[in-house]
Amino acid sequence: IDVMLQPTPALTLVAIGGILDLYVFLGPDPESVIRQYLQVIGYPMMPPYWSLGFHLCRWGYTTTNTTRHVAQRMHNSKFPMDVQWNDLDYAAKRRVFTFDPWRFGDLPEMVEEFHERGMKYILILDPGISSTSPPGTYPPFDDGLKRDVFIKNATGHILIGEVWPGSTAFPDFTNPETRHWWEDCITDFHSKVPVDGLWIDMNEPASFVQGSVEGCPDSDLENPPYTPTGVVGGQLNSGTLCMSAQQKLSTHYNLHNMYGLTEAYATHSALRKVRGKRPFVLSRSSYPGIGRFSGVWTGDVRSDWEQLRYSIPAVLQFSLFGVPLVGADICGFGGNTTEELCVRWMQLGAFYPFMRNHNDKPNAPQEPYVFGQKAQAAMRSVLNLRYSLLPFLYTLFHHVHATADTVARPLFVEFPTDPNSQTIDRQFLWGSSLLISPVLEQGAVDDNTCLNKGQYLLLPAPLDTINVHVREGHIIPQQEPALTTIASRRNPFFLTVALSAGGWARGDLFWDDGDSLDTFEMGNYCYVIFISQVVSDPVRLNGALDGLVLGGLQVFGVPSTTSLYFSVCRPQKDNDDILQISVFVPKNQTVLSAGLCVCPLPQVLTVTSLALPMTKVFTVQWAL
Ligand SMILES: *[C@@H]1O[C@H](CO)[C@@H](O)[C@H](O)[C@H]1NC(C)=O
Ligand SMILES: *[C@@H]1O[C@H](CO)[C@@H](O)[C@H](O)[C@H]1NC(C)=O
Ligand SMILES: *[C@@H]1O[C@H](CO)[C@@H](O)[C@H](O)[C@H]1NC(C)=O
């Protein structure tokens, strides 16, 4: 389908044919339009907590030992990281559901080692199933043949294309039997290699031959009267299957764009059954509704400044499309990166909802530890910032899952009546409370940041800095960072409070065990509301908050003064007395008796060393 935006304003759609179902969402504002759209296509899944950590991948980690070495160097250099990945290097002759007996012979042991260290492991899974292994040697194909799971050509024979392993057949995920066979393949593989998630690539579906190894019949399906202008190769069947191919539900012509969606659905439900935990799937191909099953990355981007910049609109679009778990390959996939580009990309990438550094085989390495000390320090610092913000990010994902909100949010969605916000695509928000203003130009050390109703400020942004602003009236729940989310989830929480001019602020926290199925639907979660002067009110408690404590808070916008009294108390209903607490003032580390705080910065109240159980209602108050 061609979609052309006209100046009138108007929209022209030119389709190759078929039935057009048009929905018009009336809003009235952008946020309502998104919500109305998601009511049709389905609300996004809740991702596992660990999947919001840092992911590291490369095509070219050619052995288990290379892969181990990478994870070890990340750990030694103190970069937070949750998930190590492998590209197709792991597979024997590039055939999925196998692993190379020499280079990856101890893959199961490697995955267990990662698990013991609190890390996760993901590998790539392409849909193409090699069709030329000797009979009896490759169960996914033999079994698939028996169970009749593959797409057929126009004359009813299995359609053979060509992908990484050579000749391949393509599973027809619209066939329920195929989904069972896929689940069996995943179950069998998982019993040997206990992967934590799956990365489904090449699922447009991509093929290196046009249509099939036999070509395609000459028909209106292959060459319709009109071919949309943007089609790769100028032919519907270029780089993919014949449009006349037959699937259970219909011809491929009618289903082509949904191949990735149907594979994501099958993979998501297989992982759900096999692991009994919240599935993680990452897909290259996408279609409306895929956010219910999968995250999406923006494909093979080049390592250059232009692609860094365009990754922002790409990520924001997927937000509008109901795919909140999205990111671009940090530092770029194609071509060599540079140190400066990679630092700036890690800084922006720390605010992609899905954060993965991924590199192509022929390129110079781009793992954070390969760069100079200054670059490493900048990357470490922004990774720690992201890890500290994960409770907030996770809470945003909860709101997307429960009420069709957005995580990465364009400014025009938050400020629909401000015309200045409509064209801003170099900055974006997390939810409604954090403004992210990355540097997107080579050599730049400052940032033209739109802060207030069309007012731009030039803010310093040397290489170690990304400007992130907390919006007035908001409270951000954070946690001390650690090298994995398993560790960071055990650390004390702290709150960043930005008071409004009227001295008011609000925030919330959604918390559960991070990877059980359907915690929201089953009520197995906690929900805490924070209101300034800080009241913490656990409005729902179910399990997972036990043992978690608030360790401190930082309040911006308190009246300017040299000293403040403050107190922390819990209401009498728990039969608790007012807590006696000590206050550490970070700048000079003076320990004061309870109740008096000398503010080291004007208008900022910093309280540390609190140990307030978050299962109880408590209040933090201050006065001049
Ligand atoms: C990996 O390293 C270990 C320890 O050095 C060695 O024993 C093993 O043979 C290596 N494995 C491979 C596949 O090279
Ligand atoms: C379908 O595949 C068979 C077997 O490869 C081949 O003989 C036949 O020509 C193909 N049909 C079409 C329409 O391509
Ligand atoms: C990229 O880096 C690799 C390894 O350092 C080098 O061999 C290659 O020539 C570089 N490519 C380009 C295009 O500069």
Side-chain angles (χ1 to χ4, degrees), residues 96-97 125 129 139-141 143-144 147 178-192 270 274:
V96 293
F97 300 119
L125 182 62
I129 300 293
F141 184 68
D143 195 31
R147 295 167 73 170
T178 307
R179 298 197 288 268
H180 293 137
W181 160 83
W182 190 246
E183 186 187 310
D184 291 343
C185 291
I186 290 175
T187 305
D188 189 51
F189 187 69
H190 186 270
S191 70
K192 297 176 199 124
V274 172

Side-chain angles (χ1 to χ4, degrees), residues 48-77:
Y49 196 93
W50 56 263
S51 71
L52 305 182
F54 180 61
H55 302 246
L56 185 59
C57 184
R58 174 172 192 174
W59 190 11
Y61 295 149
T62 48
T63 65
T64 45
N65 279 358
T66 310
T67 312
R68 281 187 177 100
H69 188 61
V70 166
Q72 190 59 47
R73 287 192 67 183
M74 286 296 288
H75 186 83
N76 294 349
S77 314

Side-chain angles (χ1 to χ4, degrees), residues 550-570:
L550 184 75
L553 56 102
Q554 201 167 25
V555 185
F556 293 84
V558 296
S560 200
T561 174
T562 51
S563 65
L564 273 172
Y565 289 94
F566 82 92
S567 62
V568 178
C569 63
R570 293 202 223 123

Side-chain angles (χ1 to χ4, degrees), residues 361-417:
K361 206 170 204 163
N363 302 336
Q366 62 186 33
E367 295 83 8
Y369 56 73
V370 304
F371 298 105
Q373 288 308 317
K374 273 190 178 165
Q376 288 197 33
M379 292 180 180
R380 196 176 293 110
S381 139
V382 79
L383 272 167
N384 280 325
L385 177 59
R386 180 187 177 90
Y387 270 64
S388 81
L389 286 165
L390 290 179
F392 173 60
L393 181 60
Y394 192 62
T395 301
L396 293 178
F397 269 99
H398 161 70
H399 289 306
V400 174
H401 174 65
T403 62
D405 248 342
T406 47
V407 175
R409 185 174 301 174
L411 273 80
F412 75 85
V413 171
E414 187 65 23
F415 304 100
T417 57

Side-chain angles (χ1 to χ4, degrees), residues 229-442:
T229 48
V231 164
V232 171
Q235 282 259 78
L236 293 186
N237 52 25
S238 295
T240 189
L241 313 186
C242 298
M243 293 300 122
S244 56
Q246 300 173 40
Q247 298 190 231
K248 182 93 175 171
L249 209 58
S250 185
T251 57
H252 189 66
Y253 178 95
N254 288 326
L255 296 170
H256 174 75
N257 290 356
M258 300 171 77
Y259 193 82
L261 172 71
T262 58
E263 188 196 18
Y265 170 63
T267 310
H268 177 97
S269 26
L271 279 176
R272 199 182 150 98
K273 277 210 190 137
V274 172
R275 295 179 68 250
K277 292 190 177 148
R278 229 176 278 168
F280 175 89
V281 181
L282 186 73
S283 177
R284 190 168 72 183
S285 163
S286 60
Y287 191 81
I290 199 168
R292 291 165 63 194
F293 313 114
S294 180
V296 165
W297 92 106
T298 63
D300 299 348
V301 297
R302 289 187 317 271
S303 301
D304 62 40
W305 291 89
E306 185 189 44
Q307 302 251 309
L308 169 73
R309 165 158 147 49
Y310 280 118
S311 73
I312 297 179
V315 163
L316 294 180
Q317 281 185 325
F318 276 100
S319 271
L320 309 185
F321 302 158
V323 186
L325 191 62
V326 57
D329 283 342
I330 290 167
C331 304
F333 174 77
N336 290 344
T337 193
T338 64
E339 181 169 282
E340 184 191 358
L341 176 64
C342 198
V343 168
R344 292 309 193 185
W345 213 321
M346 285 287 283
Q347 287 171 340
L348 169 57
F351 293 91
Y352 292 155
F354 169 66
M355 185 185 189
R356 183 183 72 161
N357 176 326
H358 176 40
N359 195 7
D360 196 2
K361 206 170 204 163
N363 302 336
Q366 62 186 33
E367 295 83 8
Y369 56 73
V370 304
F371 298 105
Q373 288 308 317
K374 273 190 178 165
Q376 288 197 33
M379 292 180 180
R380 196 176 293 110
S381 139
V382 79
L383 272 167
N384 280 325
L385 177 59
R386 180 187 177 90
Y387 270 64
S388 81
L389 286 165
L390 290 179
F392 173 60
L393 181 60
Y394 192 62
T395 301
L396 293 178
F397 269 99
H398 161 70
H399 289 306
V400 174
H401 174 65
T403 62
D405 248 342
T406 47
V407 175
R409 185 174 301 174
L411 273 80
F412 75 85
V413 171
E414 187 65 23
F415 304 100
T417 57
D418 182 351
N420 295 303
S421 71
Q422 287 176 4
T423 54
I424 295 177
D425 61 359
R426 292 168 162 257
Q427 289 176 265
F428 59 99
L429 300 157
W430 263 13
S432 56
S433 17
L434 274 194
L435 175 70
I436 294 108
S437 314
V439 170
L440 302 168
E441 260 104 37
Q442 185 171 10

